[in-house]
Amino acid sequence: MAQKTQTSPAKGCRDFLPQEVRRRQYATRIIRQVFEKYGFEPLQTPTFERLETLLGKYGEEGDQLLFKVLLRGQPLLQGIRRASEYLSQPGAIVTGRSGETAPGAEMLLADVGLRYDQTVPLARVYAAYQAKLPPVFKSFQIQPVWRADTPGKGRFREFYQCDVDVVGSSSLSAEVELGAVASECLTRLGFESFNIRINHRVLLRAIVQLADVPETLEAEAITAIDKSDRLGIPGVEAELEKRGVDKQARMSLLSLVGERPSLERIKRHVAGHAPGRQAVEEVEAVLSLSEVTPAARRFAFDVSLARGLDYYTGCIFEAAAPNLAVSLGGGGRYDNLIGMFMNRRAPACGFSLGLERILVAMEEGGLFPESLDHLDLVVAACRQQEQRAAIELAAKLRSADRRVELTLNAMQPGKLRKYADERRIPMAVWLEPGESERASLWTRADGSIQTGLSFDQIILLLTRRAQAV
Amino acid sequence: MAQKTQTSPAKGCRDFLPQEVRRRQYATRIIRQVFEKYGFEPLQTPTFERLETLLGKYGEEGDQLLFKVLLRGQPLLQGIRRASEYLSQPGAIVTGRSGETAPGAEMLLADVGLRYDQTVPLARVYAAYQAKLPPVFKSFQIQPVWRADTPGKGRFREFYQCDVDVVGSSSLSAEVELGAVASECLTRLGFESFNIRINHRVLLRAIVQLADVPETLEAEAITAIDKSDRLGIPGVEAELEKRGVDKQARMSLLSLVGERPSLERIKRHVAGHAPGRQAVEEVEAVLSLSEVTPAARRFAFDVSLARGLDYYTGCIFEAAAPNLAVSLGGGGRYDNLIGMFMNRRAPACGFSLGLERILVAMEEGGLFPESLDHLDLVVAACRQQEQRAAIELAAKLRSADRRVELTLNAMQPGKLRKYADERRIPMAVWLEPGESERASLWTRADGSIQTGLSFDQIILLLTRRAQAV
């Protein structure tokens, strides 16, 4: 069996040792509890989906970033032969952003792909189980997704997303509920000064149209505006120019966006544009209805917020902690996506909390409890002869629902106390040589040692302590 | 976007709708809490590992059952060309149990593979983070694994395992702790009549040796004995004969195994065989030390228990509920495996609960609580005009930590009560037309309706009810 192998995890992936698992579980437990408190229901989908389910849903770049799983057995042998023939055809190989690829060849060699996001699986599930699901399905998913991206600081190939979605309702109450549930999650996680920027896709289009940007350049213009946070107004102007938006339209657009207008100001601006006016009214309604929820005073209208993904159709949100300068999550209404497997429209609105960024921000902000330790005490025998009594004491304490580690080998009291101290275990108990019914107890908080305690006394002490905490 | 696609999950995989997720979470929460109570620490490893980490660890069949992930970009193109050349070589294609394959070609096309079990990743982690981990590392892992097996009843390509392991200790206290933690898990899950069969690999070898089975056939003979549960003694005899064990050895072996001997009887049988005697003493010690733990009276010595996997080196266990006739989990000591990435021996002992079988057995045994519902009530407005008040009431109740669903559209009281009744939500509250400060409350248990309640009265009612429960 002896061999020498690389022992680090696969590229872009992470091992989570106990302390890290506990921190991740602390955060996901809070998020899950809040989601459930708002009546959202848990959903879990398989790690891999048929390739046909995934391909074409995330754009050309997304198709390339999918992890695809190799065919097995005979189909693989056929696939290799066909892929090899395929490669010899002119045009089979294309050069894209991530180097040379042959998308057609991949299809001959793979049958399933790893989950790339949680929205496409949600759409598939909503289509597959319509009869079993309520007409308005409020679901949440807390699962890993995989992308074959180049790993970098804070960018992993395996990472978690926390999605909460309302499918089957066009009511603005969905937006209100999502703002509320996201706000309560962030508050309970310990974030104090976050806000949620809000805008509306139809309003953005109205503004672009009112600036006389040609229809064919609308999407490009919105993409450029989306970058104003990073590039500033001059940067956006350069982008717009590069994309072919003429000077007058640029000036018209940027004079408005540049002044960071209030919703009132924008309302006057789009007064003559019916869809734009309705979009403003929708944002107003969401803001007004949110006044009585945990999202009150969190929402901030921002006309430059566009959210990268094309698929949004209505209100869009983005949560950020100003002192951290990263987005903690975002979402919006996307009425044209969930119906993709049903040949009909299914309105939907969602919010996704970026767990990995949230964990980094919590670490930086000191938002984790000082101790996520889980043990009440550690029990040891001084010599192997007392191990049976140590096992018995541990069993008794566990029957009383105390959380107890038992050392598997005999351990001297000094070494035991050092072990407990290093691992922040609040108490240590040991059986002195010859003892089978009495033990000594050390308390980490004050360093005190009590000797000659009966097992019942120790249980009583610990139960009292647990009740006091 | 409109297209028609297969909406079922990928072959051998399952979607878990809310009720199923809750049941799975109910079981895993209990298991995790018990593991933590015994001082085992959570570990999470990536979904995929480098292929070199996985290959050769699970035998030839295991290598074939690994899900391998396709290379991306330029390396894939090179891989296809090289795999195609490789296939044209004589002997590249082999015919195995699952059809024609070319293992060498797979290596040219894939770089990582999906987790096949949790033991190899544990060995990798133990080697990679020795300095960070305690010398005796007590870990647990509750994660999915993937095997490209032919799906069948109760056999999936994605399924969960709950592994609990002690690494770095040769003490029999490890076996005792694992028996105790597994017993407490099963008890807390609601199993009453389970037992844990126990045997010892060295004892099995002693028995085979004492029956004069030739050394080269030892492993084969043990494999045959392992099947006595399914095949009965005549079946095992046929197996032994097929494998070339001569008649006298067969008779000698089966006359012993067939009488289902007690540990006392076996002790006398191996009295003259030093390793066998020591193995009996180890089993005796585990049984004796377990008398004071939750495993007391659960252990049953069974000389025919062999556990399929070759890697066990000491005590072996298998938990089963007699009325269910399936194993709920098993494990044992495996001292030669965990060190595989370190070029040194690392003693280890583990127990794995088979979550999927446990869930099926819990379902069949009616062991899930009648309701895993999570909501306290549902709030609705009778008309859209009262939606704002409904949002406000929902927010107030949630501030008081009640779990509240808000209907996103207005709903008539009759329809609302029907909705709540079908979803087993214990209470429903609605705002009558024109009301913004008072509401009506329906209780599912007795069908009663109280009208004209102020929001504070409703909160008080619910808080009292929660305290009473």
Side-chain angles (χ1 to χ4, degrees), chain A residues 193-454:
Chain A
S193 58
F194 69 92
N195 63 38
I196 304 179
R197 292 188 294 147
I198 183 171
N199 197 7
H200 197 294
R201 268 297 170 109
V202 175
L203 178 59
L204 269 172
R205 209 173 313 133
I207 286 165
V208 169
Q209 285 166 3
L210 288 171
D212 284 328
V213 172
E215 204 181 328
T216 52
L217 294 176
E218 269 180 25
E220 305 252 13
I222 290 173
T223 306
I225 291 172
D226 196 25
K227 297 182 181 169
S228 63
D229 245 26
R230 261 179 302 148
L231 305 180
I233 293 299
V236 174
E237 208 207 327
E239 280 278 317
L240 288 170
E241 189 174 2
K242 201 176 75 188
R243 287 159 195 267
V245 176
D246 71 31
K247 188 168 171 78
Q248 195 178 341
R250 293 202 304 268
M251 289 303 109
S252 164
L253 203 52
L254 292 178
S255 69
L256 184 73
V257 172
E259 66 175 88
R260 300 202 156 266
S262 68
L263 190 56
E264 274 305 309
R265 166 82 181 80
I266 287 288
K267 191 176 184 177
R268 290 195 301 275
H269 183 77
V270 299
H273 188 290
R277 208 167 55 229
Q278 201 200 319
V280 168
E281 281 163 13
E282 288 190 16
V283 174
E284 281 181 336
V286 171
L287 294 178
S288 164
L289 290 171
S290 296
E291 278 166 13
V292 292
T293 77
R297 296 179 307 279
R298 296 295 182 182
F299 274 123
F301 173 70
D302 182 347
V303 77
S304 75
L305 175 71
R307 302 272 303 154
L309 290 166
D310 280 338
Y311 64 59
Y312 291 113
T313 56
C315 282
I316 45 181
F317 324 108
E318 194 161 289
N323 51 335
L324 291 164
V326 290
S327 153
L328 299 173
R333 179 164 287 281
Y334 56 105
D335 285 344
N336 297 331
L337 200 68
I338 289 291
M340 68 171 104
F341 299 114
M342 297 188 292
N343 288 331
R344 68 172 170 85
R345 229 164 148 256
C349 193
F351 200 100
S352 181
L353 290 167
L355 184 65
E356 307 299 341
R357 285 176 173 187
I358 284 175
L359 290 167
V360 170
M362 287 176 72
E363 177 71 45
E364 287 173 359
L367 302 186
F368 289 107
E370 203 178 313
S371 162
L372 287 169
D373 294 338
H374 60 296
L375 285 175
D376 293 314
L377 84 167
V378 53
V379 173
C382 286
R383 303 180 312 177
Q384 198 53 39
Q385 293 92 310
E386 286 77 36
Q387 187 69 3
R388 184 191 183 83
I391 290 172
E392 186 174 356
L393 175 55
K396 284 195 169 178
L397 287 161
R398 287 165 179 163
S399 297
D401 264 335
R402 294 302 103 213
R403 294 160 302 174
V404 178
E405 181 179 355
L406 170 74
T407 66
L408 301 182
N409 290 98
M411 209 184 253
Q412 286 301 311
K415 199 178 161 199
L416 176 68
R417 292 193 295 266
K418 186 161 173 281
Y419 176 85
D421 195 41
E422 281 170 5
R423 305 191 76 204
R424 301 166 165 266
I425 303 171
M427 289 179 167
V429 172
W430 62 92
L431 287 112
E432 296 283 357
E435 281 292 356
S436 64
E437 292 179 353
R438 293 187 173 268
S440 304
L441 184 148
W442 167 85
T443 305
R444 186 169 179 260
D446 59 8
S448 66
I449 295 176
Q450 291 166 272
T451 56
L453 299 171
S454 73

Side-chain angles (χ1 to χ4, degrees), chain A residues 18 22 374-375 398 404-405 408, chain B residues 32 34-42 137-140 163-167 174 177-178 181 349:
Chain A
R22 291 208 182 92
H374 60 296
L375 285 175
R398 287 165 179 163
V404 178
E405 181 179 355
L408 301 182
Chain B
R32 187 167 52 237
V34 174
F35 286 170
E36 294 248 10
K37 181 168 141 179
Y38 279 72
F40 290 90
E41 302 201 280
F137 182 42
K138 297 169 193 163
S139 76
F140 71 88
D163 283 12
V164 58
D165 291 274
V166 176
V167 178
E177 285 283 86
L178 291 170
V181 79
C349 195

Side-chain angles (χ1 to χ4, degrees), chain A residues 46-112:
Chain A
T47 291
F48 47 75
E49 297 276 349
R50 295 168 212 281
L51 267 187
E52 67 188 71
T53 304
L54 300 174
L55 286 169
K57 307 304 188 301
Y58 308 108
E60 209 175 296
E61 201 188 335
D63 283 354
Q64 284 186 26
L65 296 183
L66 281 172
F67 280 110
K68 302 169 189 86
V69 176
L70 204 62
L71 286 163
R72 296 152 298 279
Q74 189 63 29
L76 174 61
L77 301 186
Q78 288 160 5
I80 294 171
R81 294 203 175 95
R82 289 167 59 198
S84 173
E85 281 167 34
Y86 176 90
L87 287 192
S88 63
Q89 291 171 6
I93 297 172
V94 295
T95 305
R97 271 174 55 182
S98 43
E100 291 197 311
T101 58
E106 297 184 348
M107 292 297 296
L108 300 170
L109 291 167
D111 56 347
V112 295

